[in-house]
Amino acid sequence: MPEIVAERYTGASIKRSEDPRILTGTGRYVDDIKLPGMLHAAFVRSPLAHARVLSVDVSAARALPGVVAAYTGADLEAMTVPGPDVLMALMGAPGPSPEFTLLATDKVRFVGDPVAMVVAADRYFAEDGCDLVEVEYDDLPPVANAAFALDPSSPPLFANLGDNIARPHSRSEFGDVPATFAQADRVMEFHIDVHRHQNVPMEGRGCVASYDSDLGVMTVYAATQSVHVSKIAVAMRLGMEHDQVRVLAGDIGGSFGLKIGASREELAAAAASRALGRPVKWVEDRGENLTASGQAREESFDVRAAVSNDGDLLGLDVKVVIDTGAYPGMGTMVPGIMQEMLPGPYKLAALGFESTAAITNKASYVAYRGPWASETFVRERVIDLMAKDLGIDPVELRLRNAAERTDPPASMITGRPLVGVTTRESLERVAQLVDIPAFRRRQAEGREQGRYLGIGVATFIEAAPGPRSPEGPSGPMGTESMRLRLEEDGMVVLFTGQMPHGQSHQTTLAQIAADEFGVPFEQVRVVVGDTAVVPFGLTGGSRSATMTGGVALHGARQLKVKVLDFASQLMEASAMDLQITDGNVWVRGDPASAIPVSEIAQQAASGQFGADVDANLEVQASFDGGEGGWSGGTHCAIVDVDIETGLVKVERYVAVEDCGALINPAVVEGQIRGGVAQGIGAVLLERSAYDQDGNYQSATFMDYLLPTASDIPRIEVDHLQTVPLDADVNFRGVGEGGMIVAPPTLVNAIEDALAPFGVRIREQHLPPARILELIDAANAT
Amino acid sequence: MVDITLTVNGVTRTGSVEARKTLADFLRDDLDLTGTHVGCEHGVCGACTVIVDDREVRSCLMLAVQAAGSQVTTIEGLAHDGGLGPLQQAMWDSHSFQCGFCTPGFVMQATAFLAAHPEADEQQIREALSGNICRCTGYQSIIDGVLLAAQRTRQG
Amino acid sequence: MKLPYLEYAAPADVTEALGLLGELQDEASVLAGGQSLIPLLALRLARPALLIDINGLRELSRLSLTDGWLAIGAMTREYVAEESLAVAESVPLLAAALPLIGHEAIRSRGTIGGSLAHADPAAELPAVALALDAEFVVRSRDGDRIIPAVEWFDGYLATSRRPDELLVEVRFPTARPGTGVAFLEVARRHGDFAIVGLAASLTLTGGQITDARLAFAGVSDIPVRAAEAENLLVGERPSRNLFEEAAVRATARLNPPADLHGSAEYRKKVAATLVRRGLQAAADNADERS
């Protein structure tokens, strides 16, 4: 098979430079690190949802051969500097600040809460030690759900808060909510539940912390979405200066929002390494990952929709309660984004939004791929429920309500301009690709034979990065930095704060820089994962395509100018007349003048130029997102529901997407398909289940079910021609959209399949038993 | 401790292990073959799949002592002349993977399956790989890689 | 998730294994394929004082066909049985169930005897053994005992094997001409334990059902035989109505457990569906095979 030869690398499915190492087992993940004298940590975790800790006795563990140390919560507090959860503090989380200790001290607050830490010669011995730790508990009533948490009689998890409210109730209104509802032909009301589910990267969390007591330097090998955020967390908790902490990361086995900063366990491992003067490894096992790493969603919505008889969605009034679990985190920040995004691409005239976040005895709420995604679920569900009640085709109804692209652009009622949004085009394209009338005929035939097929569509937009704010000078997502350098061997080296964990940045950023600078793709190296050499950054929020793609483009351009300026002296030609192609600098029109960029760099390094010549072929670039823009699209699922077993087969799945200019189509499609698979998993298989006493029920892969190759269909991806907004950078993020829109797409399809029974679905999780219950309930009414 | 001798990727290796140590941990910790990944340690995710005496097995569900005398092949043993093997090459060409953590298990499972079923179609490949979990890709690119490898093998 | 400390023995022959079992009784665990036991150890839900690894006992992996019985050595790997022509031809119900056990890599190590001795009520092989009235040959220092399937299953993950006994062989009666089979299950995903599974076998003679066998997986703490439905079927000709009625009879007295994957009511409903579908599939299979 011939190699892909591209005029430009950008826009082509260039094979990933990450793959040769991962395909041969020579990638380096955190658990692959082995340092001399390295010890292994394991944690004793609470078997109870809510209890006072009366005593923790680690003496038997300490006495076990192979065990080097065992620490209680009080020990760890004495070894570290108290303070809030660093990530929450950095992100400016609203709401009160609960006590935050690395291990439980006075209380345990969820099943899996770490209570003691054992450090031993290997992980087997560490777990043996954990078995010998004796903890005496005094049970407290579990706060197992948000409704009880908001009841003033519920026992507060945190004494310093006095109640179980992580984010106090608030209400905002946009547009004239009362008038909109008063004028509506109908007001529809729904209660919609989104269940708790979680990231589950194939590699859990983990680190190797190594303290050098001679130098007073802590080195942490981490699995993280940002080495710098991890560094700040370690430095703050250990009371060290930032320059005394270095965080490194190699390959990372997925994250999806889970691995931001350093977790309690990682900070405990770092503290232990400092105390013991030896490297300490902690790698989360699957039981810990499912039980204690964190969970997402579990939101319940009360929705009122103001609707006209001919199908206009005039306004929404939404109340959400979020179950943030035990240690408030991301869940307190999600309502703000939900509120802003709730109108979506539709012409809503009014929005009322109320939110409350409750603290419960469950694992903490963490960011998971599109953390605010439930706003799309609610909106797209409401549209389909509306369509059924009004007898209007759901695609028609969406087209009727989607804002048209106008100049100046329409704005969401919550503020942001819908510039360049291609919702209408994506709806039309889906209808074209799927041939809905033909499906309806097949559906009718199937029903006569007892076969229940259904079709569902849902549409979304994602601020990836979102449009440039009309008010401020800063771009849509702050700024992104990059250092770029031409090395003497001719390599263009990009130093980025992105911390890829599957996103293929080492390929995509190299494509952009190679094109812009004028070297072969293989002549660009992307350096990540070392706080000593990369600028601040974080991989998340679907921001890297625009922000880092953009800074790679502009940075390569800047570097090229610098190299050409220098070369112009060397080549005695005006920089204006020079160009770089295929790794050579040459005078336009004179191919014989070509000099490899490596030679230029060697000359620059030779030191033979005076102070008036800038021979440092390195630039610091930054980018503010340019004009930004929205990502979005429409997805369509066709399902086959077995009404006797409740099993749902996804027969066909079509994704029409607009994420701007594609850097690498295969990478983009991988992101879309992966997100869709997680969305399908959320609906059909995945649930972080607790019983009524707060006992966790999904602690193994036999209980927390991830979708497999037999569950996920081929996912057809179609890319829309995008509306360019920026002169140079029209790449937009695509990391979260699949996970955001697949759940409503699939649930809409399932409801359509069950339409003959009159089933109405107001929840996201639909395992086979639930499907039969829905049919029975509909039959009974 | 139990002394064991086995052949790993064609090389005779010896070790002294606790009986409770899994083959996965032995490969990773004692032999420094960290290409085999540990994803769940209870036999569901397939990341630790290796080939023992021509059959794919979960190396987290086999004790190292049980592999004594066996021929074990891991991801590190699949390279051809220092380069990628044909399945690995097809997977590279197909953009099969993202984060790479599940990769060794898929590659080993698919290697064993294709050896026994060179004519397999997509449905059979999906079933054969349904004991391996990937959280990143939605599987299509992996299936495409296996199909491409099978097709190239058939075409010689 | 590491295994607890354990003593380990790999006896060279059955006699040595029986000696160890006789000595330690239920302090010891027998390690066959390990596909269920090793996860239990990794979760530290099992902590035997001694692990007796019988993987070296070649004498326990023989297959032999005699006098209307297929005798399968307890250490026969599931993939070996799955690929065996003798199994496919003589015990088609077993052949139908084998590919549904876990995944390829699980069947590489998993054994027929191991699965039946572990006796997970949601597993495939226990339902097959019960449906076919298989016989379990257990051996101790005192000699052999033969235990009929109906007496073998003795509660959740429990059998009537005495602690000093080793399961050495399982005997399945070979299918009579005119027999059609089906193993159907509803599972959350391909390869998972069944929420409900059904082993079904119908023997047709001149268009009339002369033998009917139905056993469920996943509806109790042991596999469950549907004797009333079997009685109804024998002597009748296959029909939709007959199978409907059999489904009612087979499930009327079921009182299945509830778990994360399905309520009791759900399991009961699915069990009825599986009976209807399983009987039809078995009847179709009988036609195909004749």
Side-chain angles (χ1 to χ4, degrees), chain A residues 123-124 127-128 131 285 287 642 644-645 647 684-685 689 697 701-702 705-706 711 767-769 772 776, chain C residues 1-5 43-44 47 186-190 192-193 260-262 265-266 269-270 273 276-277:
Chain A
R123 175 79 185 220
Y124 286 82
E127 292 190 18
D128 294 347
D131 283 348
D285 70 26
D642 181 338
E644 291 183 318
T645 62
L647 290 171
L684 299 180
L685 295 164
Q697 312 280 290
F701 270 166
M702 314 276 273
L705 307 179
L706 296 178
D711 304 301
L772 294 201
D776 286 350
Chain C
M1 223 179 249
K2 301 295 183 193
L3 286 70
Y5 177 80
L43 293 162
R44 300 199 173 200
R47 293 169 185 266
V186 169
R188 297 291 298 276
R189 299 172 301 183
H190 177 75
D192 283 351
F193 275 109
L260 213 52
H261 305 305
E265 197 190 350
Y266 174 76
K269 251 184 218 169
V270 168
T273 296
R276 284 197 308 274
R277 292 181 182 180

Side-chain angles (χ1 to χ4, degrees), chain A residues 467-479 624-626:
Chain A
R468 175 177 282 278
S469 155
E471 300 89 47
S474 74
M477 276 191 182
T479 59
D624 70 354

Side-chain angles (χ1 to χ4, degrees), chain B residues 92-156:
Chain B
W92 190 15
D93 295 341
S94 303
H95 275 254
S96 287
F97 296 105
Q98 293 178 27
C99 84
F101 198 80
C102 70
T103 300
F106 271 98
V107 173
M108 299 315 291
Q109 176 63 41
T111 296
F113 181 71
L114 280 183
H117 309 273
E119 303 289 329
D121 64 16
E122 172 164 353
Q123 189 52 37
Q124 290 166 320
I125 292 170
R126 282 186 180 267
E127 277 188 22
L129 297 187
S130 67
N132 291 66
I133 297 172
C134 166
R135 191 57 160 161
C136 295
T137 63
Y139 300 102
Q140 185 168 326
S141 52
I142 301 174
I143 303 300
D144 286 345
V146 180
L147 282 166
L148 180 61
Q151 183 200 340
R152 285 179 182 168
T153 306
R154 284 198 296 271
Q155 288 168 354

Side-chain angles (χ1 to χ4, degrees), chain A residues 10 81-82 147 199 294 302 332 505 713:
Chain A
T10 310
V81 179
N199 316 58
D302 282 301
T332 61
H505 291 149

